Amino acid sequence: SDLESFIEVNRSIIAVHVAISRRFLESLGEPDVVLVSFSGGKDSLVTLDLALKHYGRDVVRAVYVDTGVDFPQTAEYVDRVESELGVAVERVRVPVKEMLSVKGLPSKTNRWCTLLKTQGFKQVLEKYREKYRKVLVLVGDRDAESEASARKPPVRKRKHYLEAAPIKQWSTIHVQLYTWTHKLPENPLYSQGFYRLGCYI
C-alpha cells in the first residue's frame, strides 16, 4: 500500500485516460472562452485541471456557486485552488440558506436547491455569452456517479453554448489517481471521511 509505488504502476493508465479526454476536447473545436462548473469536489477539480492544460489560463474560468450552506472548508479550498492553479474563479451567491425557512430541507424528490445553483451558474454564463461568440461549458459528470449521469450524452448542444463532460467514462479511482499524479490540492473534507461534497444540510 505504498502510495508512490501505486501511482507509478498506474501512471501509463492515467496517461491513456488523459489522452482520450484531450482528444475529446480537441473534437469540440476552439472556443473563445471555457467555463468550468467548479463545486470544490474531486471531479470538477480534474475537469478544471484538464481544461487549463488543454486551453490555457487565458481562456478558462472556473465558476463556483456558493449556496450559503457549503462547508467552510470548501469555500477556503476554492480560494486555495484559485491561488495554486492560477485560475480565475467567478463566484456567485444563491439564496439556498435564506430559502430553507420557506421551502424546508431539500430531498431526493424535491431538490429545489439544485435549481437555484443552476440559475446562479447561468447568471455567470449569460455575462460571458454577451462578450463571446463561442462559449464552452465543461462539467465533471461521470457515468459511475448515477444512472441519471450515465444517461446524459457526453456533448450537449444548448441554445447558445456547448456543454461537455470530458471525464464522463472515468471511474473514481482514475479521478483520484489523476489528482495524486499531478499533485493537485485536495479538498480536506475527503480525508475526513466525506465521499460526496456539497452543502452541509
Side-chain angles (χ1 to χ4, degrees):
S1 59
D2 171 43
L3 183 58
E4 287 305 317
S5 300
F6 180 64
I7 293 168
E8 202 52 48
V9 164
N10 289 284
R11 195 174 291 276
S12 61
I13 292 174
I14 292 306
V16 168
H17 278 72
V18 169
I20 292 168
S21 292
R22 291 285 294 265
R23 208 171 303 135
F24 172 76
L25 292 174
E26 277 172 26
S27 75
L28 302 174
E30 294 184 17
D32 298 323
V33 67
V34 177
L35 301 180
V36 179
S37 179
F38 182 59
S39 66
K42 60 189 182 303
D43 300 333
S44 58
L45 172 68
V46 170
T47 302
L48 177 60
D49 194 62
L50 282 168
L52 288 167
K53 287 180 168 67
H54 188 78
Y55 299 105
R57 284 173 180 77
D58 293 341
V59 178
V60 177
R61 305 285 182 275
V63 181
Y64 171 64
V65 181
D66 179 7
T67 63
V69 287
D70 288 2
F71 285 95
Q73 293 94 325
T74 296
E76 291 163 12
Y77 172 71
V78 171
D79 292 339
R80 185 180 162 205
V81 168
E82 181 174 35
S83 171
E84 290 190 24
L85 269 61
V87 61
V89 177
E90 291 267 2
R91 293 166 177 80
V92 60
R93 175 78 157 76
V94 293
V96 172
K97 185 176 186 178
E98 294 75 9
M99 294 298 290
L100 284 171
S101 59
V102 179
K103 291 184 173 284
L105 290 173
S107 66
K108 281 190 175 183
T109 54
N110 183 19
R111 293 180 61 179
W112 57 264
C113 55
T114 303
L115 183 62
L116 284 181
K117 286 185 78 170
T118 302
Q119 288 170 351
F121 183 88
K122 287 190 173 172
Q123 281 176 30
V124 178
L125 174 63
E126 282 305 306
K127 185 176 79 172
Y128 280 94
R129 271 212 328 101
E130 288 170 10
K131 286 174 66 178
Y132 299 99
R133 196 170 62 85
K134 290 191 287 185
V135 178
L136 173 63
V137 172
L138 295 181
V139 294
D141 296 357
R142 292 187 300 110
D143 287 353
E145 286 181 297
S146 66
E147 280 187 45
S149 290
R151 280 196 297 270
K152 290 181 183 175
V155 181
R156 304 133 206 185
K157 207 166 188 180
R158 306 302 188 195
K159 194 173 179 183
H160 299 292
Y161 64 97
L162 199 63
E163 184 179 285
I167 62 167
K168 185 169 164 52
Q169 294 182 335
W170 290 33
S171 71
T172 304
I173 193 61
H174 293 131
V175 169
Q176 191 66 65
L177 273 164
Y178 182 95
T179 304
W180 290 334
T181 302
H182 293 272
K183 296 182 167 44
L184 298 179
E186 292 182 271
N187 190 315
L189 292 172
Y190 287 123
S191 63
Q192 293 173 30
F194 287 85
Y195 176 69
R196 298 287 299 265
L197 305 182
C199 59
Y200 57 73
I201 56 172

Short mmCIF file of all heavy atoms in Angstrom, two decimals, residues 105-143:
data_model
loop_
_atom_site.label_atom_id
_atom_site.label_comp_id
_atom_site.label_asym_id
_atom_site.label_seq_id
_atom_site.Cartn_x
_atom_site.Cartn_y
_atom_site.Cartn_z
N LEU A 105 -36.20 21.54 4.09
CA LEU A 105 -34.99 20.86 3.62
C LEU A 105 -35.20 20.22 2.25
O LEU A 105 -36.25 19.63 2.01
CB LEU A 105 -34.57 19.77 4.62
CG LEU A 105 -34.02 20.24 5.97
CD1 LEU A 105 -33.83 19.05 6.90
CD2 LEU A 105 -32.71 20.98 5.80
N PRO A 106 -34.21 20.34 1.36
CA PRO A 106 -34.33 19.65 0.07
C PRO A 106 -34.35 18.13 0.28
O PRO A 106 -33.84 17.63 1.28
CB PRO A 106 -33.06 20.07 -0.68
CG PRO A 106 -32.51 21.23 0.06
CD PRO A 106 -32.95 21.08 1.48
N SER A 107 -34.94 17.42 -0.67
CA SER A 107 -34.97 15.96 -0.60
C SER A 107 -34.70 15.40 -1.99
O SER A 107 -34.60 16.15 -2.96
CB SER A 107 -36.34 15.49 -0.10
OG SER A 107 -37.32 15.82 -1.07
N LYS A 108 -34.62 14.08 -2.09
CA LYS A 108 -34.37 13.47 -3.40
C LYS A 108 -35.49 13.77 -4.38
O LYS A 108 -35.27 13.84 -5.58
CB LYS A 108 -34.22 11.94 -3.25
CG LYS A 108 -32.84 11.54 -2.75
CD LYS A 108 -32.65 10.05 -2.85
CE LYS A 108 -31.23 9.67 -2.46
NZ LYS A 108 -30.97 8.24 -2.61
N THR A 109 -36.71 13.92 -3.87
CA THR A 109 -37.84 14.19 -4.76
C THR A 109 -38.11 15.68 -4.92
O THR A 109 -38.91 16.08 -5.77
CB THR A 109 -39.12 13.50 -4.22
OG1 THR A 109 -39.31 13.93 -2.86
CG2 THR A 109 -38.99 12.00 -4.29
N ASN A 110 -37.46 16.52 -4.11
CA ASN A 110 -37.65 17.97 -4.20
C ASN A 110 -36.31 18.68 -4.01
O ASN A 110 -36.03 19.22 -2.96
CB ASN A 110 -38.67 18.44 -3.15
CG ASN A 110 -38.95 19.93 -3.28
OD1 ASN A 110 -38.69 20.54 -4.30
ND2 ASN A 110 -39.49 20.51 -2.22
N ARG A 111 -35.50 18.64 -5.08
CA ARG A 111 -34.15 19.23 -5.00
C ARG A 111 -34.19 20.68 -5.49
O ARG A 111 -33.58 21.03 -6.49
CB ARG A 111 -33.17 18.38 -5.81
CG ARG A 111 -32.96 17.00 -5.21
CD ARG A 111 -32.00 16.18 -6.01
NE ARG A 111 -30.68 16.80 -6.07
CZ ARG A 111 -29.64 16.28 -6.71
NH1 ARG A 111 -29.78 15.14 -7.35
NH2 ARG A 111 -28.50 16.91 -6.72
N TRP A 112 -34.95 21.49 -4.79
CA TRP A 112 -35.09 22.89 -5.19
C TRP A 112 -33.77 23.65 -5.13
O TRP A 112 -33.57 24.64 -5.85
CB TRP A 112 -36.16 23.59 -4.34
CG TRP A 112 -35.92 23.54 -2.86
CD1 TRP A 112 -36.44 22.63 -1.98
CD2 TRP A 112 -35.11 24.42 -2.08
NE1 TRP A 112 -36.01 22.90 -0.70
CE2 TRP A 112 -35.18 23.99 -0.74
CE3 TRP A 112 -34.32 25.53 -2.38
CZ2 TRP A 112 -34.51 24.62 0.30
CZ3 TRP A 112 -33.63 26.18 -1.35
CH2 TRP A 112 -33.74 25.72 -0.03
N CYS A 113 -32.85 23.19 -4.28
CA CYS A 113 -31.55 23.86 -4.15
C CYS A 113 -30.73 23.72 -5.44
O CYS A 113 -30.01 24.65 -5.84
CB CYS A 113 -30.77 23.31 -2.97
SG CYS A 113 -30.57 21.52 -3.03
N THR A 114 -30.86 22.58 -6.12
CA THR A 114 -30.12 22.36 -7.36
C THR A 114 -30.58 23.34 -8.43
O THR A 114 -29.76 23.85 -9.21
CB THR A 114 -30.33 20.91 -7.85
OG1 THR A 114 -29.91 20.01 -6.81
CG2 THR A 114 -29.53 20.62 -9.11
N LEU A 115 -31.87 23.62 -8.46
CA LEU A 115 -32.41 24.58 -9.42
C LEU A 115 -31.81 25.97 -9.18
O LEU A 115 -31.43 26.66 -10.12
CB LEU A 115 -33.94 24.63 -9.30
CG LEU A 115 -34.66 25.53 -10.29
CD1 LEU A 115 -34.43 25.08 -11.73
CD2 LEU A 115 -36.15 25.56 -9.99
N LEU A 116 -31.69 26.36 -7.92
CA LEU A 116 -31.09 27.65 -7.59
C LEU A 116 -29.62 27.71 -8.01
O LEU A 116 -29.15 28.72 -8.52
CB LEU A 116 -31.22 27.95 -6.09
CG LEU A 116 -32.58 28.39 -5.57
CD1 LEU A 116 -32.52 28.66 -4.07
CD2 LEU A 116 -33.07 29.64 -6.29
N LYS A 117 -28.91 26.60 -7.79
CA LYS A 117 -27.50 26.55 -8.19
C LYS A 117 -27.36 26.69 -9.71
O LYS A 117 -26.48 27.40 -10.20
CB LYS A 117 -26.85 25.24 -7.72
CG LYS A 117 -26.57 25.20 -6.23
CD LYS A 117 -25.82 23.95 -5.83
CE LYS A 117 -24.35 24.06 -6.17
NZ LYS A 117 -23.55 22.97 -5.58
N THR A 118 -28.23 26.01 -10.44
CA THR A 118 -28.21 26.09 -11.90
C THR A 118 -28.50 27.52 -12.36
O THR A 118 -27.84 28.04 -13.28
CB THR A 118 -29.26 25.12 -12.50
OG1 THR A 118 -28.97 23.80 -12.05
CG2 THR A 118 -29.22 25.15 -14.02
N GLN A 119 -29.45 28.18 -11.72
CA GLN A 119 -29.77 29.56 -12.07
C GLN A 119 -28.58 30.48 -11.80
O GLN A 119 -28.29 31.38 -12.59
CB GLN A 119 -31.00 30.03 -11.28
CG GLN A 119 -32.30 29.40 -11.74
CD GLN A 119 -33.46 29.69 -10.80
OE1 GLN A 119 -33.29 30.23 -9.70
NE2 GLN A 119 -34.67 29.31 -11.23
N GLY A 120 -27.87 30.22 -10.71
CA GLY A 120 -26.69 31.02 -10.38
C GLY A 120 -25.60 30.87 -11.42
O GLY A 120 -24.99 31.85 -11.85
N PHE A 121 -25.38 29.62 -11.85
CA PHE A 121 -24.37 29.37 -12.88
C PHE A 121 -24.76 30.08 -14.17
O PHE A 121 -23.91 30.68 -14.85
CB PHE A 121 -24.22 27.87 -13.12
CG PHE A 121 -23.14 27.54 -14.12
CD1 PHE A 121 -21.83 27.36 -13.71
CD2 PHE A 121 -23.44 27.42 -15.48
CE1 PHE A 121 -20.84 27.07 -14.63
CE2 PHE A 121 -22.45 27.13 -16.40
CZ PHE A 121 -21.14 26.95 -15.97
N LYS A 122 -26.04 30.03 -14.50
CA LYS A 122 -26.49 30.64 -15.76
C LYS A 122 -26.38 32.17 -15.75
O LYS A 122 -26.22 32.79 -16.79
CB LYS A 122 -27.92 30.19 -16.08
CG LYS A 122 -27.93 28.73 -16.56
CD LYS A 122 -29.25 28.30 -17.14
CE LYS A 122 -29.10 26.90 -17.73
NZ LYS A 122 -30.38 26.32 -18.14
N GLN A 123 -26.44 32.77 -14.56
CA GLN A 123 -26.20 34.22 -14.45
C GLN A 123 -24.80 34.56 -14.95
O GLN A 123 -24.61 35.50 -15.73
CB GLN A 123 -26.29 34.67 -12.98
CG GLN A 123 -27.69 34.85 -12.45
CD GLN A 123 -27.65 35.21 -10.96
OE1 GLN A 123 -26.71 35.83 -10.48
NE2 GLN A 123 -28.67 34.80 -10.25
N VAL A 124 -23.82 33.78 -14.50
CA VAL A 124 -22.43 33.99 -14.93
C VAL A 124 -22.30 33.68 -16.41
O VAL A 124 -21.65 34.41 -17.17
CB VAL A 124 -21.45 33.13 -14.10
CG1 VAL A 124 -20.02 33.31 -14.59
CG2 VAL A 124 -21.56 33.46 -12.62
N LEU A 125 -22.92 32.59 -16.84
CA LEU A 125 -22.86 32.18 -18.24
C LEU A 125 -23.37 33.28 -19.17
O LEU A 125 -22.75 33.58 -20.20
CB LEU A 125 -23.69 30.90 -18.43
CG LEU A 125 -23.88 30.38 -19.86
CD1 LEU A 125 -22.56 29.99 -20.48
CD2 LEU A 125 -24.83 29.18 -19.85
N GLU A 126 -24.48 33.92 -18.79
CA GLU A 126 -25.06 34.98 -19.62
C GLU A 126 -24.08 36.14 -19.79
O GLU A 126 -23.98 36.74 -20.86
CB GLU A 126 -26.37 35.49 -19.01
CG GLU A 126 -27.55 34.58 -19.25
CD GLU A 126 -27.78 34.28 -20.73
OE1 GLU A 126 -27.89 35.24 -21.52
OE2 GLU A 126 -27.81 33.10 -21.10
N LYS A 127 -23.37 36.45 -18.74
CA LYS A 127 -22.38 37.54 -18.79
C LYS A 127 -21.31 37.25 -19.84
O LYS A 127 -20.92 38.13 -20.61
CB LYS A 127 -21.73 37.70 -17.41
CG LYS A 127 -20.79 38.87 -17.29
CD LYS A 127 -20.26 39.00 -15.87
CE LYS A 127 -19.15 38.02 -15.61
NZ LYS A 127 -18.48 38.25 -14.31
N TYR A 128 -20.87 36.00 -19.91
CA TYR A 128 -19.84 35.61 -20.88
C TYR A 128 -20.43 35.46 -22.29
O TYR A 128 -19.74 35.72 -23.28
CB TYR A 128 -19.15 34.32 -20.44
CG TYR A 128 -18.11 34.59 -19.38
CD1 TYR A 128 -18.42 34.49 -18.03
CD2 TYR A 128 -16.82 34.97 -19.74
CE1 TYR A 128 -17.48 34.76 -17.06
CE2 TYR A 128 -15.86 35.24 -18.77
CZ TYR A 128 -16.20 35.13 -17.43
OH TYR A 128 -15.26 35.42 -16.46
N ARG A 129 -21.68 35.05 -22.35
CA ARG A 129 -22.33 34.92 -23.66
C ARG A 129 -22.46 36.26 -24.37
O ARG A 129 -22.41 36.36 -25.58
CB ARG A 129 -23.72 34.31 -23.51
CG ARG A 129 -23.73 32.80 -23.56
CD ARG A 129 -24.99 32.22 -24.17
NE ARG A 129 -26.20 32.98 -23.95
CZ ARG A 129 -26.75 33.78 -24.86
NH1 ARG A 129 -26.20 33.96 -26.03
NH2 ARG A 129 -27.87 34.41 -24.60
N GLU A 130 -22.61 37.33 -23.58
CA GLU A 130 -22.71 38.67 -24.16
C GLU A 130 -21.37 39.13 -24.74
O GLU A 130 -21.33 39.92 -25.68
CB GLU A 130 -23.18 39.67 -23.10
CG GLU A 130 -24.65 39.51 -22.74
CD GLU A 130 -25.04 40.33 -21.51
OE1 GLU A 130 -24.22 41.17 -21.06
OE2 GLU A 130 -26.15 40.13 -21.00
N LYS A 131 -20.27 38.61 -24.18
CA LYS A 131 -18.93 39.04 -24.61
C LYS A 131 -18.31 38.13 -25.67
O LYS A 131 -17.50 38.57 -26.48
CB LYS A 131 -17.99 39.06 -23.39
CG LYS A 131 -18.21 40.22 -22.45
CD LYS A 131 -17.34 40.10 -21.22
CE LYS A 131 -15.87 40.23 -21.52
NZ LYS A 131 -15.04 40.17 -20.28
N TYR A 132 -18.66 36.83 -25.64
CA TYR A 132 -18.01 35.87 -26.53
C TYR A 132 -19.02 35.12 -27.39
O TYR A 132 -20.14 34.83 -26.94
CB TYR A 132 -17.22 34.84 -25.69
CG TYR A 132 -16.13 35.46 -24.87
CD1 TYR A 132 -16.33 35.72 -23.51
CD2 TYR A 132 -14.89 35.78 -25.42
CE1 TYR A 132 -15.33 36.28 -22.73
CE2 TYR A 132 -13.87 36.33 -24.65
CZ TYR A 132 -14.11 36.58 -23.31
OH TYR A 132 -13.11 37.14 -22.54
N ARG A 133 -18.59 34.79 -28.60
CA ARG A 133 -19.48 34.08 -29.53
C ARG A 133 -19.50 32.58 -29.25
O ARG A 133 -20.54 31.95 -29.22
CB ARG A 133 -19.02 34.34 -30.97
CG ARG A 133 -20.06 33.97 -32.02
CD ARG A 133 -19.65 34.47 -33.40
NE ARG A 133 -18.40 33.87 -33.86
CZ ARG A 133 -18.32 32.69 -34.48
NH1 ARG A 133 -19.41 31.98 -34.71
NH2 ARG A 133 -17.15 32.22 -34.88
N LYS A 134 -18.31 31.99 -29.06
CA LYS A 134 -18.22 30.54 -28.84
C LYS A 134 -17.88 30.25 -27.37
O LYS A 134 -16.75 30.39 -26.95
CB LYS A 134 -17.16 29.93 -29.76
CG LYS A 134 -17.58 29.92 -31.23
CD LYS A 134 -16.66 29.09 -32.09
CE LYS A 134 -15.32 29.77 -32.29
NZ LYS A 134 -14.44 29.02 -33.23
N VAL A 135 -18.91 29.84 -26.63
CA VAL A 135 -18.76 29.54 -25.20
C VAL A 135 -18.88 28.03 -24.99
O VAL A 135 -19.83 27.40 -25.45
CB VAL A 135 -19.83 30.27 -24.36
CG1 VAL A 135 -19.69 29.91 -22.88
CG2 VAL A 135 -19.73 31.78 -24.55
N LEU A 136 -17.88 27.47 -24.32
CA LEU A 136 -17.91 26.04 -23.97
C LEU A 136 -18.02 25.91 -22.46
O LEU A 136 -17.25 26.52 -21.71
CB LEU A 136 -16.63 25.35 -24.47
CG LEU A 136 -16.42 23.89 -24.04
CD1 LEU A 136 -17.52 22.99 -24.62
CD2 LEU A 136 -15.04 23.40 -24.47
N VAL A 137 -18.97 25.10 -22.00
CA VAL A 137 -19.13 24.81 -20.57
C VAL A 137 -18.68 23.37 -20.34
O VAL A 137 -19.16 22.44 -21.00
CB VAL A 137 -20.60 24.99 -20.13
CG1 VAL A 137 -20.79 24.49 -18.69
CG2 VAL A 137 -21.02 26.44 -20.25
N LEU A 138 -17.75 23.18 -19.40
CA LEU A 138 -17.29 21.84 -19.05
C LEU A 138 -17.78 21.47 -17.66
O LEU A 138 -17.71 22.27 -16.73
CB LEU A 138 -15.76 21.77 -19.09
CG LEU A 138 -15.09 21.96 -20.45
CD1 LEU A 138 -13.58 21.82 -20.32
CD2 LEU A 138 -15.63 20.97 -21.48
N VAL A 139 -18.28 20.24 -17.55
CA VAL A 139 -18.79 19.73 -16.27
C VAL A 139 -18.08 18.42 -15.92
O VAL A 139 -17.58 17.72 -16.80
CB VAL A 139 -20.33 19.51 -16.33
CG1 VAL A 139 -21.06 20.83 -16.48
CG2 VAL A 139 -20.71 18.57 -17.47
N GLY A 140 -18.06 18.10 -14.64
CA GLY A 140 -17.37 16.89 -14.17
C GLY A 140 -18.27 15.68 -14.05
O GLY A 140 -17.99 14.78 -13.24
N ASP A 141 -19.34 15.62 -14.82
CA ASP A 141 -20.25 14.45 -14.78
C ASP A 141 -19.50 13.17 -15.13
O ASP A 141 -18.69 13.16 -16.06
CB ASP A 141 -21.39 14.61 -15.80
CG ASP A 141 -22.30 15.78 -15.49
OD1 ASP A 141 -22.09 16.44 -14.46
OD2 ASP A 141 -23.22 16.04 -16.28
N ARG A 142 -19.80 12.09 -14.40
CA ARG A 142 -19.23 10.77 -14.71
C ARG A 142 -20.33 9.73 -14.68
O ARG A 142 -21.23 9.78 -13.84
CB ARG A 142 -18.14 10.40 -13.69
CG ARG A 142 -16.90 11.25 -13.78
CD ARG A 142 -15.78 10.75 -12.86
NE ARG A 142 -16.16 10.74 -11.46
CZ ARG A 142 -16.37 9.65 -10.73
NH1 ARG A 142 -16.22 8.45 -11.28
NH2 ARG A 142 -16.70 9.73 -9.46
N ASP A 143 -20.22 8.74 -15.57
CA ASP A 143 -21.21 7.67 -15.64
C ASP A 143 -21.35 6.91 -14.32
O ASP A 143 -22.44 6.46 -13.96
CB ASP A 143 -20.84 6.66 -16.74
CG ASP A 143 -21.05 7.21 -18.13
OD1 ASP A 143 -21.62 8.32 -18.26
OD2 ASP A 143 -20.66 6.54 -19.10
#
